[in-house]
Amino acid sequence: MQERLKELQQEAIQKIEQSSSLKELNDIRVAYLGKKGPITEVLRGMGKLSAEERPIMGALANEVREAIATTLEAKQKDLEEAAVLEKLASESIDVTLPGRPVKVGNHHPLTRIIEEIEDLFIGMGYQVAEGPEVEQDYYNFEALNLPKGHPARDMQDSFYITDEILLRTHTSPVQARTMEKNQGKGPIKIICPGKVYRRDNDDATHSHQFMQIEGLVVGENIRMSDLHGTLEIFAKKMFGEDREIRLRPSFFPFTEPSVEMDISCMICGGHGCNVCKKTGWIEILGAGMVHPNVLEMAGYDSKKYTGFAFGMGPERIAMLKYGVDDIRHFYTNDVRFLKQFSKHE
Amino acid sequence: MFVSYKWLQDYVDLSGVSASELAEKITKSGIEVEGVDVLNEGITGVVVGHVVERVQHPNADKLSKCQVDIGQGEPVQIICGAPNVAQGQKVAVATVGAVLPGNFKIKRAKLRGEESNGMICSLTELGVEAKVVPKEYSEGIFVFPQDAEVGTDAIALLNRNDEVLELGLTPNRADCLSMLGVAYEVGAILGREVKLPEIDVQPVNEKASDYITVKVEANEDNPLYAAKVIKNVKIGPAPLWMQTRLISAGIRPHNNVVDITNYILLEYGQPLHAFDYDRLGSKEILVRRAHDGEKFLTLDDVERTLTSDHLVITNGKEPVALAGVMGGANSEVTSDTTTVLLEAAYFTGGTVRKASKDHGLRSEASARFEKGVDPNRVRAAGERAAYLMARYAGGEVLEGASEVNTLTVEPAVVSITLEKINSVIGTNLTVQDVEAIFERLQFTVNVEENVITVTAPTRRGDIKIEEDLIEEVARLYGYDNIPKTLPIGSATPGKLSDYQEKRRIVRQYLEGAGLYQAVTYSLTSEEKAAQFALEKRDFIRLAMPMSEDRSILRLSIMPQLLEVLKYNSARQNDSLAVYETGAVFLANGNEVLPEEQEHLAGAVTGLWHSHSWQGEKKAVDFYVLKGILEGLFAKLGLTESVTYVQAKVDNMHPGRTAEIHLNGERIGFVGQVHPTMQKELDLKDTYVFELSLKAVLEEATTALRYEAIPRFPSITRDIALVVDKETVSGVLKDVIQSAGGKLLKEVSVFDLYEGDRMEEGKKSIAYSLKYMDPERTLTDEEVTKVHTQVLEALKTQAGAVLRG
């Protein structure tokens, strides 16, 4: 009997190890461990054994069952794992095929520049002020120290609608309006972005419609050195920490003294190239101390208040920053152009 | 203004300062030097030659065979094609080995069988702009005066060994529209003296006032008019040095008298005019406003019709010059002129500007009057011109001048404190620092107890107020030397307004939804201005448009966006989604500013979605755009306030367009562009929307409040309804919602069937209804009760029956 059990164990284990499917394995389980299996059979014959032999044989039978069951389990696990692997293998895909595109648009490059400048100045305590694109001659010119017949009006030939109404030629009227609204009180710290219009034929460097962004600070004791410091922060944040700035005297009717700011050329680093016309410097913006006439006209006491203002062209900045070679690209809206401005930098 | 580096040295010592160094210094202290032109760049080997013999080329009609002495022994043979080459001339010869502009190398050559050892040059071949070459040499070679020495450097003789600084002058610095003005500026920058030009008139014993009387009727426009008379002049070429200086400054030489007036214009900034005294027709000058409709032939042979806005110089009867702008053909100096009447006058800027603008005559002279000449330099300029006419045109200057002078010249006196200067600039300058700066500018300074009083010379008409003095100090101190600080004082909160913040959210949302932002023009054509307008208003038209296409302010953004689609479609991008935010302009009447309403427009064409290798493709349809809008309104908390109403909109598909209503007000539309227009624009199916962004963003957002997440299960009932084809889903949904009451949490469409299996004129539409009570679990009986009410309402109110 003992030998029979050993034989069965050996036989079963051998079959288990040779089996190659879960079904086969199940058949072996039923065949050997089932109620009708040979081990049960053997145990049934235990009645014929002596009282001493019976527990020994019982223990042996259990041992054999145990061994077969353990082997069965291990084999089942192996077979299951193999099945999973096989399934996974059959599911494999070509990971180099392109993914499902996510449809995303992006800001127009000019909006991108404007928001960048807005955010920079918001961080310095400025608010964003906006105003009408169709303006009164008064706010566009007169309130900015450009009375009728002033020679500087030639500098910006304008689109008039009536004698007194025109498309604004700069965003400066927003400054005049903001000062007027504040009724002679400070402080004012604003940045004014928007569309402006001038009588220019559209070509690679001119556009009858373009953007401007201006800043204005009015308060007691605002100094030219404050303008200098503010512009330096702007230039370095906008164009890179290694940019140098240079201020040059200039003329605008609404500021006195007036300033133009150059930055060291970002293309050649200041050694001279075609972009900076071999000067090493690139003109970026105009600025100055608010003209006392402008302050007085808006109701400020120019003995008590001073201020500075600056203005620049987002198109020019975008052209320099991204190397865009034709201003018309901004208004043609070729998607091959627009989509290039999605990347974060 | 073009400033010759060599000429400038007549007035100020430039030793130790090269032209490019000077340019840098001028730029940094206030006047932008836009370029430095090296006139002889790339030119070598050009000498003065003497044409000792000229014969016809044996084999070519248009060529001459010349023997030219170039100071190197035997004359050399040169073949020349210029029609004006002649024996005895002194000419500029590019010798063999010479280089001309454009790296043009001169080599020994054979021309039609004859040897040529060099080239006789025209001025343009030597780098002179054609428009300033004297007329007599414009079709051929340049001829030197006879005293030119053979073999010497022709480039030097032509004053081309010079550099020209191009000044970009701002309107306030009209003082630098003259060599003297530039000399004062450079003197201040370098701290060097300014030397004035020589005036040494030896008048003959006759008085100008015996020849001419001057009357001025328009004193306000013409406060000073001085007439000098120079007789026995011999008209001929001006000296070569003067001609070449004019050429470098961009003015074409004519004859000695005209050239002298132009030379003074450049030197003093004072325009002068020379009349032929004998052709004047009277012994009188009368300055007056023109009569309306008065005719006048200017010396460019154009007949001008004048108005009373224009100031004219007359001979007592008829005009002989348009003041400050251009002389008349009737009194022009010609080669026969012997007596010159020289006008030195002060015309006010406004008068001259009006005339030059009305007649389209912008000249060097009118530009200077417009910007304001130095009132103290008018007479001196006239004297200097008379002196030069005596010296270089053989004239005799009559004593004195006939003049009318009502001009009062008060130099500007401005006082300022040192504190003010330092507090505006942000510096710590001393009184001595400031004084030194004004002295360099040759301004008179007087200091009394910290009050600095400055008298500015009349040439600097731009100095009027304290701030002008501050600028002078700052610029000569050096802007770059100003410290860098930040404003101090009460802090201001830096932030966007609610409106601006929401506008950014709209942009980000739309871009996240796949639309690119476009920016288009506000000006459009009459045809497009009215298309798709939400409100019909009068056109706002430019008084003087540059073209019809850009003549009217837009009433909607859509036509421009469709242009963008058209442009891209024509370039193989026929599936595209764009949006724009921007103002449209609604007229409010003639003399009032229009209402500027910010709009949002979007346009999507072609495929909305495609994933090529998986074979997926989906063309844009109405519901794509509606979905985008629904998401947008949800983001802005406006889902409950917005409704869509089937509507007809011009240029839109009549069956696939809805108006967008916000709280019952129409604020925009969404739908398909009319197929006819799609075809015109060559677009695939295109869906668009435009709405008043202003209306949307001004609608107050409600505060965000957390709503408890339901703890009890919901019960869903699906129903399929059969309704008339015309019944729209919105109506059914309204019925369901009002009948469902507060237990009905959600209604959604999950199927629409309009196929063959339906009865004629009917469609089936299926809804999923979700019932829930946040406080407890609903029983089946409760739900059935409400659901029965819903079905009943659908039947009675919408004629909808359950599909069998």
Short mmCIF file of all heavy atoms in Angstrom, two decimals, chain A residues 100 105 107-108 111 118-119 125 128 130 133-134 149 160 197 199 209 224-226 228 232 256 258 333 335, chain B residues 172 353 423-424 468 471 479-480 482 484-485 492 500 503-504 511 517 519 522 543-544 568 596 614 616:
data_model
loop_
_atom_site.label_atom_id
_atom_site.label_comp_id
_atom_site.label_asym_id
_atom_site.label_seq_id
_atom_site.Cartn_x
_atom_site.Cartn_y
_atom_site.Cartn_z
N ARG A 100 -2.69 60.56 -30.65
CA ARG A 100 -3.90 61.27 -31.07
C ARG A 100 -3.69 62.75 -30.79
O ARG A 100 -3.45 63.13 -29.64
CB ARG A 100 -5.09 60.74 -30.28
CG ARG A 100 -6.40 61.44 -30.59
CD ARG A 100 -7.49 60.86 -29.71
NE ARG A 100 -7.69 59.44 -30.00
CZ ARG A 100 -8.50 59.01 -30.96
NH1 ARG A 100 -9.18 59.86 -31.70
NH2 ARG A 100 -8.64 57.73 -31.16
N GLY A 105 -5.03 75.76 -29.58
CA GLY A 105 -4.59 76.98 -30.26
C GLY A 105 -3.63 77.73 -29.36
O GLY A 105 -3.16 77.19 -28.36
N HIS A 107 -2.08 82.02 -28.17
CA HIS A 107 -2.12 83.47 -28.28
C HIS A 107 -1.49 83.95 -29.57
O HIS A 107 -0.49 83.37 -30.03
CB HIS A 107 -1.28 84.09 -27.15
CG HIS A 107 -2.03 84.28 -25.87
ND1 HIS A 107 -3.22 83.68 -25.60
CD2 HIS A 107 -1.74 85.04 -24.78
CE1 HIS A 107 -3.63 84.05 -24.40
NE2 HIS A 107 -2.75 84.87 -23.87
N HIS A 108 -2.02 85.00 -30.10
CA HIS A 108 -1.34 85.74 -31.16
C HIS A 108 -0.04 86.29 -30.57
O HIS A 108 -0.01 86.67 -29.41
CB HIS A 108 -2.26 86.89 -31.60
CG HIS A 108 -1.80 87.60 -32.83
ND1 HIS A 108 -0.83 88.58 -32.78
CD2 HIS A 108 -2.17 87.48 -34.12
CE1 HIS A 108 -0.63 89.03 -34.02
NE2 HIS A 108 -1.42 88.38 -34.85
N THR A 111 -0.35 89.48 -28.61
CA THR A 111 -1.00 89.32 -27.30
C THR A 111 0.00 88.75 -26.30
O THR A 111 0.04 89.14 -25.14
CB THR A 111 -2.20 88.37 -27.43
OG1 THR A 111 -3.05 88.85 -28.45
CG2 THR A 111 -2.97 88.27 -26.13
N GLU A 118 2.40 93.44 -19.57
CA GLU A 118 1.38 93.75 -18.55
C GLU A 118 1.74 93.09 -17.22
O GLU A 118 1.75 93.73 -16.17
CB GLU A 118 0.00 93.23 -18.99
CG GLU A 118 -0.71 94.11 -20.01
CD GLU A 118 -2.05 93.48 -20.47
OE1 GLU A 118 -2.37 92.34 -20.06
OE2 GLU A 118 -2.75 94.13 -21.24
N ASP A 119 2.04 91.80 -17.29
CA ASP A 119 2.30 91.04 -16.07
C ASP A 119 3.54 91.56 -15.35
O ASP A 119 3.58 91.63 -14.12
CB ASP A 119 2.45 89.55 -16.39
CG ASP A 119 1.12 88.94 -16.83
OD1 ASP A 119 0.07 89.58 -16.59
OD2 ASP A 119 1.13 87.85 -17.43
N GLY A 125 3.18 96.95 -9.40
CA GLY A 125 2.12 97.80 -8.85
C GLY A 125 1.37 98.64 -9.87
O GLY A 125 0.72 99.62 -9.51
N VAL A 128 -3.81 98.03 -15.49
CA VAL A 128 -3.94 98.09 -16.94
C VAL A 128 -5.12 98.99 -17.29
O VAL A 128 -6.25 98.73 -16.88
CB VAL A 128 -4.14 96.69 -17.54
CG1 VAL A 128 -4.31 96.77 -19.05
CG2 VAL A 128 -2.96 95.79 -17.19
N GLU A 130 -7.39 101.02 -20.29
CA GLU A 130 -7.71 100.97 -21.72
C GLU A 130 -8.58 102.16 -22.08
O GLU A 130 -9.21 102.75 -21.21
CB GLU A 130 -8.44 99.66 -22.04
CG GLU A 130 -7.54 98.46 -21.86
CD GLU A 130 -8.28 97.13 -21.91
OE1 GLU A 130 -8.99 96.82 -20.94
OE2 GLU A 130 -8.16 96.44 -22.91
N GLU A 133 -10.44 103.60 -29.25
CA GLU A 133 -9.55 103.66 -30.42
C GLU A 133 -9.94 104.81 -31.34
O GLU A 133 -9.13 105.31 -32.09
CB GLU A 133 -9.61 102.32 -31.18
CG GLU A 133 -9.00 101.19 -30.38
CD GLU A 133 -9.27 99.82 -30.99
OE1 GLU A 133 -9.40 99.71 -32.22
OE2 GLU A 133 -9.38 98.85 -30.20
N VAL A 134 -11.20 105.20 -31.28
CA VAL A 134 -11.63 106.40 -31.99
C VAL A 134 -11.63 107.51 -30.94
O VAL A 134 -12.30 107.39 -29.92
CB VAL A 134 -13.03 106.23 -32.61
CG1 VAL A 134 -13.44 107.49 -33.36
CG2 VAL A 134 -13.04 105.04 -33.55
N GLY A 149 -1.89 122.82 -35.35
CA GLY A 149 -0.85 123.55 -36.06
C GLY A 149 0.55 123.28 -35.51
O GLY A 149 1.52 123.81 -36.01
N TYR A 160 -8.34 110.97 -39.92
CA TYR A 160 -9.43 111.72 -39.33
C TYR A 160 -10.77 111.22 -39.86
O TYR A 160 -10.88 110.78 -41.00
CB TYR A 160 -9.29 113.22 -39.66
CG TYR A 160 -8.40 113.93 -38.67
CD1 TYR A 160 -7.03 114.03 -38.88
CD2 TYR A 160 -8.93 114.49 -37.51
CE1 TYR A 160 -6.20 114.67 -37.96
CE2 TYR A 160 -8.12 115.14 -36.59
CZ TYR A 160 -6.76 115.22 -36.82
OH TYR A 160 -5.96 115.84 -35.91
N TYR A 197 -3.44 103.75 -35.00
CA TYR A 197 -3.57 103.82 -36.47
C TYR A 197 -2.81 105.03 -37.01
O TYR A 197 -2.89 106.11 -36.45
CB TYR A 197 -5.06 103.98 -36.83
CG TYR A 197 -5.93 102.90 -36.24
CD1 TYR A 197 -6.42 103.01 -34.94
CD2 TYR A 197 -6.24 101.75 -36.96
CE1 TYR A 197 -7.21 102.00 -34.37
CE2 TYR A 197 -7.03 100.75 -36.41
CZ TYR A 197 -7.51 100.88 -35.12
OH TYR A 197 -8.28 99.89 -34.57
N ARG A 199 -1.42 106.94 -40.93
CA ARG A 199 -1.49 106.91 -42.39
C ARG A 199 -0.18 106.43 -42.98
O ARG A 199 0.64 107.23 -43.43
CB ARG A 199 -1.78 108.31 -42.94
CG ARG A 199 -3.18 108.83 -42.70
CD ARG A 199 -3.35 110.16 -43.38
NE ARG A 199 -3.28 110.02 -44.81
CZ ARG A 199 -4.29 109.73 -45.58
NH1 ARG A 199 -5.49 109.58 -45.07
NH2 ARG A 199 -4.15 109.62 -46.87
N GLN A 209 -2.18 99.91 -39.12
CA GLN A 209 -2.70 99.59 -37.78
C GLN A 209 -1.62 98.83 -37.05
O GLN A 209 -1.00 97.93 -37.62
CB GLN A 209 -3.95 98.73 -37.89
CG GLN A 209 -4.46 98.21 -36.54
CD GLN A 209 -5.65 97.28 -36.69
OE1 GLN A 209 -6.54 97.52 -37.49
NE2 GLN A 209 -5.67 96.21 -35.94
N MET A 224 13.56 111.43 -12.73
CA MET A 224 14.07 110.81 -13.94
C MET A 224 14.87 109.55 -13.61
O MET A 224 14.91 108.60 -14.39
CB MET A 224 14.98 111.81 -14.65
CG MET A 224 14.81 111.82 -16.14
SD MET A 224 15.72 113.19 -16.84
CE MET A 224 16.21 112.45 -18.38
N SER A 225 15.49 109.54 -12.45
CA SER A 225 16.24 108.35 -12.05
C SER A 225 15.29 107.17 -11.84
O SER A 225 15.66 106.02 -12.05
CB SER A 225 17.06 108.63 -10.78
OG SER A 225 16.22 109.08 -9.73
N ASP A 226 14.04 107.47 -11.43
CA ASP A 226 13.05 106.39 -11.27
C ASP A 226 12.71 105.79 -12.64
O ASP A 226 12.50 104.58 -12.77
CB ASP A 226 11.76 106.93 -10.64
CG ASP A 226 12.00 107.50 -9.25
OD1 ASP A 226 12.95 107.05 -8.59
OD2 ASP A 226 11.24 108.39 -8.84
N HIS A 228 14.76 105.76 -15.15
CA HIS A 228 15.96 105.00 -15.53
C HIS A 228 15.94 103.60 -14.90
O HIS A 228 16.13 102.60 -15.59
CB HIS A 228 17.19 105.79 -15.07
CG HIS A 228 18.47 105.42 -15.78
ND1 HIS A 228 19.66 106.00 -15.50
CD2 HIS A 228 18.71 104.52 -16.76
CE1 HIS A 228 20.61 105.49 -16.27
NE2 HIS A 228 20.05 104.58 -17.06
N GLU A 232 15.32 99.93 -16.78
CA GLU A 232 16.35 98.88 -16.73
C GLU A 232 15.74 97.54 -16.32
O GLU A 232 16.03 96.50 -16.92
CB GLU A 232 17.48 99.26 -15.78
CG GLU A 232 18.59 98.23 -15.87
CD GLU A 232 19.76 98.55 -14.97
OE1 GLU A 232 19.56 98.61 -13.73
OE2 GLU A 232 20.86 98.74 -15.50
N GLU A 256 9.20 116.18 -21.22
CA GLU A 256 10.35 117.09 -21.16
C GLU A 256 11.01 116.89 -19.80
O GLU A 256 10.36 117.14 -18.80
CB GLU A 256 9.88 118.54 -21.35
CG GLU A 256 10.98 119.56 -21.46
CD GLU A 256 11.68 119.54 -22.82
OE1 GLU A 256 11.06 119.10 -23.81
OE2 GLU A 256 12.84 119.96 -22.88
N SER A 258 12.93 114.40 -22.66
CA SER A 258 12.51 113.18 -23.37
C SER A 258 13.70 112.24 -23.56
O SER A 258 14.83 112.69 -23.63
CB SER A 258 11.92 113.55 -24.72
OG SER A 258 10.79 114.37 -24.57
N ASN A 333 -2.25 86.62 -40.39
CA ASN A 333 -2.75 85.47 -39.63
C ASN A 333 -2.63 84.16 -40.39
O ASN A 333 -3.55 83.35 -40.41
CB ASN A 333 -4.21 85.71 -39.23
CG ASN A 333 -4.36 86.90 -38.32
OD1 ASN A 333 -3.92 86.88 -37.19
ND2 ASN A 333 -4.98 87.96 -38.83
N VAL A 335 -1.72 80.58 -40.51
CA VAL A 335 -1.66 79.67 -39.36
C VAL A 335 -0.25 79.09 -39.18
O VAL A 335 0.17 78.78 -38.07
CB VAL A 335 -2.74 78.57 -39.47
CG1 VAL A 335 -2.41 77.60 -40.59
CG2 VAL A 335 -2.90 77.85 -38.15
N ASN B 172 11.85 119.90 -32.28
CA ASN B 172 12.31 120.95 -31.37
C ASN B 172 13.71 121.43 -31.67
O ASN B 172 14.11 122.49 -31.20
CB ASN B 172 12.25 120.44 -29.91
CG ASN B 172 13.17 119.25 -29.71
OD1 ASN B 172 13.33 118.41 -30.59
ND2 ASN B 172 13.80 119.16 -28.55
N ARG B 353 3.58 126.65 -43.61
CA ARG B 353 3.12 125.26 -43.59
C ARG B 353 1.85 125.09 -44.40
O ARG B 353 1.70 124.17 -45.19
CB ARG B 353 2.88 124.78 -42.16
CG ARG B 353 2.50 123.29 -42.10
CD ARG B 353 2.39 122.74 -40.68
NE ARG B 353 3.50 123.21 -39.86
CZ ARG B 353 3.35 124.03 -38.83
NH1 ARG B 353 2.16 124.45 -38.48
NH2 ARG B 353 4.41 124.43 -38.14
N SER B 423 15.96 117.46 -8.02
CA SER B 423 14.84 116.60 -7.62
C SER B 423 14.15 115.99 -8.84
O SER B 423 13.63 114.89 -8.76
CB SER B 423 13.85 117.35 -6.73
OG SER B 423 13.11 118.26 -7.51
N VAL B 424 14.15 116.68 -9.96
CA VAL B 424 13.52 116.08 -11.15
C VAL B 424 14.43 115.03 -11.77
O VAL B 424 13.98 113.97 -12.20
CB VAL B 424 13.12 117.15 -12.18
CG1 VAL B 424 12.67 116.50 -13.49
CG2 VAL B 424 12.00 118.03 -11.63
N ASP B 468 12.76 122.66 -19.88
CA ASP B 468 13.70 122.71 -21.00
C ASP B 468 15.13 122.85 -20.48
O ASP B 468 16.06 122.28 -21.04
CB ASP B 468 13.35 123.87 -21.93
CG ASP B 468 11.96 123.73 -22.54
OD1 ASP B 468 11.56 122.59 -22.83
OD2 ASP B 468 11.28 124.75 -22.72
N GLU B 471 16.28 119.57 -19.14
CA GLU B 471 16.71 118.66 -20.21
C GLU B 471 18.12 119.00 -20.69
O GLU B 471 18.94 118.10 -20.92
CB GLU B 471 15.74 118.70 -21.39
CG GLU B 471 16.20 117.79 -22.52
CD GLU B 471 15.13 117.53 -23.55
OE1 GLU B 471 14.72 118.48 -24.25
OE2 GLU B 471 14.67 116.38 -23.64
N TYR B 479 22.71 111.25 -19.95
CA TYR B 479 21.59 110.47 -19.43
C TYR B 479 22.07 109.20 -18.75
O TYR B 479 21.50 108.75 -17.76
CB TYR B 479 20.64 110.09 -20.58
CG TYR B 479 19.60 111.15 -20.93
CD1 TYR B 479 19.68 112.45 -20.42
CD2 TYR B 479 18.54 110.84 -21.78
CE1 TYR B 479 18.73 113.40 -20.75
CE2 TYR B 479 17.58 111.78 -22.11
CZ TYR B 479 17.67 113.06 -21.60
OH TYR B 479 16.73 113.99 -21.93
N ASP B 480 23.11 108.62 -19.30
CA ASP B 480 23.57 107.35 -18.73
C ASP B 480 24.17 107.53 -17.33
O ASP B 480 24.33 106.57 -16.60
CB ASP B 480 24.61 106.71 -19.65
CG ASP B 480 23.95 106.10 -20.87
OD1 ASP B 480 22.74 105.83 -20.81
OD2 ASP B 480 24.65 105.91 -21.88
N ILE B 482 22.76 109.33 -15.04
CA ILE B 482 21.66 109.50 -14.09
C ILE B 482 21.51 108.20 -13.29
O ILE B 482 21.55 107.12 -13.87
CB ILE B 482 20.35 109.83 -14.83
CG1 ILE B 482 20.49 111.20 -15.53
CG2 ILE B 482 19.15 109.85 -13.88
CD1 ILE B 482 19.35 111.51 -16.47
N LYS B 484 19.98 105.01 -11.08
CA LYS B 484 18.83 104.14 -11.34
C LYS B 484 18.12 103.90 -10.00
O LYS B 484 18.69 103.30 -9.11
CB LYS B 484 19.29 102.81 -11.94
CG LYS B 484 19.81 102.95 -13.34
CD LYS B 484 20.55 101.72 -13.80
CE LYS B 484 21.30 101.99 -15.08
NZ LYS B 484 22.34 100.98 -15.34
N THR B 485 16.89 104.40 -9.90
CA THR B 485 16.10 104.22 -8.67
C THR B 485 14.71 103.76 -9.07
O THR B 485 14.40 103.66 -10.26
CB THR B 485 15.98 105.55 -7.90
OG1 THR B 485 15.37 106.51 -8.78
CG2 THR B 485 17.33 106.08 -7.46
N THR B 492 0.65 101.13 -4.83
CA THR B 492 -0.59 100.95 -5.60
C THR B 492 -0.75 99.46 -5.85
O THR B 492 0.24 98.77 -6.10
CB THR B 492 -0.49 101.69 -6.95
OG1 THR B 492 0.80 101.40 -7.52
CG2 THR B 492 -0.61 103.18 -6.76
N GLN B 500 -10.83 92.58 -17.46
CA GLN B 500 -9.60 92.17 -18.14
C GLN B 500 -9.23 90.73 -17.80
O GLN B 500 -8.78 89.97 -18.66
CB GLN B 500 -8.46 93.11 -17.74
CG GLN B 500 -8.61 94.51 -18.32
CD GLN B 500 -7.78 95.54 -17.58
OE1 GLN B 500 -7.28 95.27 -16.49
NE2 GLN B 500 -7.64 96.72 -18.16
N ARG B 503 -11.46 88.45 -19.68
CA ARG B 503 -11.09 88.40 -21.09
C ARG B 503 -9.93 87.42 -21.29
O ARG B 503 -9.89 86.67 -22.26
CB ARG B 503 -10.70 89.79 -21.58
CG ARG B 503 -10.21 89.79 -23.01
CD ARG B 503 -10.11 91.17 -23.60
NE ARG B 503 -9.41 92.08 -22.74
CZ ARG B 503 -9.54 93.39 -22.75
NH1 ARG B 503 -10.38 93.96 -23.58
NH2 ARG B 503 -8.86 94.16 -21.94
N ARG B 504 -8.99 87.43 -20.37
CA ARG B 504 -7.87 86.47 -20.48
C ARG B 504 -8.38 85.04 -20.37
O ARG B 504 -7.89 84.15 -21.05
CB ARG B 504 -6.83 86.74 -19.39
CG ARG B 504 -5.96 87.95 -19.68
CD ARG B 504 -4.70 87.86 -18.85
NE ARG B 504 -3.84 89.02 -19.04
CZ ARG B 504 -2.65 89.14 -18.46
NH1 ARG B 504 -2.19 88.19 -17.68
NH2 ARG B 504 -1.91 90.21 -18.68
N GLU B 511 -8.38 78.93 -26.74
CA GLU B 511 -7.15 78.33 -27.24
C GLU B 511 -7.06 76.87 -26.78
O GLU B 511 -6.66 76.00 -27.54
CB GLU B 511 -5.94 79.16 -26.79
CG GLU B 511 -5.88 80.47 -27.57
CD GLU B 511 -5.06 81.57 -26.89
OE1 GLU B 511 -4.28 81.26 -25.98
OE2 GLU B 511 -5.24 82.74 -27.28
N GLN B 517 -5.63 82.45 -31.94
CA GLN B 517 -6.03 83.85 -31.88
C GLN B 517 -5.53 84.58 -33.12
O GLN B 517 -4.36 84.49 -33.48
CB GLN B 517 -5.47 84.53 -30.63
CG GLN B 517 -6.04 85.94 -30.47
CD GLN B 517 -5.30 86.78 -29.43
OE1 GLN B 517 -4.19 86.45 -29.04
NE2 GLN B 517 -5.92 87.86 -29.02
N VAL B 519 -5.44 88.49 -35.14
CA VAL B 519 -5.64 89.93 -34.98
C VAL B 519 -5.77 90.50 -36.38
O VAL B 519 -4.88 90.30 -37.21
CB VAL B 519 -4.46 90.60 -34.24
CG1 VAL B 519 -4.69 92.10 -34.14
CG2 VAL B 519 -4.28 90.01 -32.85
N SER B 522 -9.09 96.89 -38.23
CA SER B 522 -10.37 97.51 -37.88
C SER B 522 -11.01 98.20 -39.08
O SER B 522 -12.21 98.41 -39.11
CB SER B 522 -10.17 98.55 -36.78
OG SER B 522 -9.55 97.98 -35.67
N ALA B 543 -12.29 110.40 -43.36
CA ALA B 543 -12.39 111.57 -44.23
C ALA B 543 -11.50 111.38 -45.46
O ALA B 543 -11.90 111.69 -46.58
CB ALA B 543 -11.98 112.82 -43.46
N MET B 544 -10.27 110.86 -45.24
CA MET B 544 -9.36 110.66 -46.37
C MET B 544 -8.74 109.28 -46.28
O MET B 544 -7.62 109.12 -45.81
CB MET B 544 -8.26 111.72 -46.34
CG MET B 544 -8.72 113.09 -46.79
SD MET B 544 -7.31 114.12 -47.21
CE MET B 544 -6.45 114.13 -45.64
N ASN B 568 -5.81 81.19 -45.61
CA ASN B 568 -5.15 79.94 -45.22
C ASN B 568 -5.60 78.76 -46.09
O ASN B 568 -4.80 77.90 -46.44
CB ASN B 568 -5.41 79.64 -43.74
CG ASN B 568 -4.51 80.47 -42.84
OD1 ASN B 568 -3.32 80.24 -42.75
ND2 ASN B 568 -5.09 81.49 -42.21
N GLU B 596 -17.69 101.82 -28.75
CA GLU B 596 -16.77 100.75 -29.11
C GLU B 596 -17.15 99.52 -28.31
O GLU B 596 -17.06 99.51 -27.10
CB GLU B 596 -15.32 101.15 -28.84
CG GLU B 596 -14.88 102.25 -29.77
CD GLU B 596 -13.42 102.64 -29.62
OE1 GLU B 596 -12.63 101.83 -29.13
OE2 GLU B 596 -13.10 103.78 -30.03
N GLN B 614 -5.60 56.19 -37.98
CA GLN B 614 -6.69 55.40 -37.42
C GLN B 614 -7.97 55.57 -38.22
O GLN B 614 -9.02 55.05 -37.86
CB GLN B 614 -6.94 55.81 -35.96
CG GLN B 614 -5.81 55.35 -35.04
CD GLN B 614 -6.17 55.45 -33.58
OE1 GLN B 614 -6.95 56.31 -33.21
NE2 GLN B 614 -5.61 54.58 -32.78
N GLU B 616 -9.89 58.10 -38.52
CA GLU B 616 -10.97 58.88 -37.93
C GLU B 616 -11.00 60.27 -38.54
O GLU B 616 -9.98 60.91 -38.70
CB GLU B 616 -10.76 59.03 -36.42
CG GLU B 616 -10.79 57.73 -35.68
CD GLU B 616 -10.38 57.90 -34.23
OE1 GLU B 616 -10.19 59.06 -33.79
OE2 GLU B 616 -10.25 56.88 -33.55
#
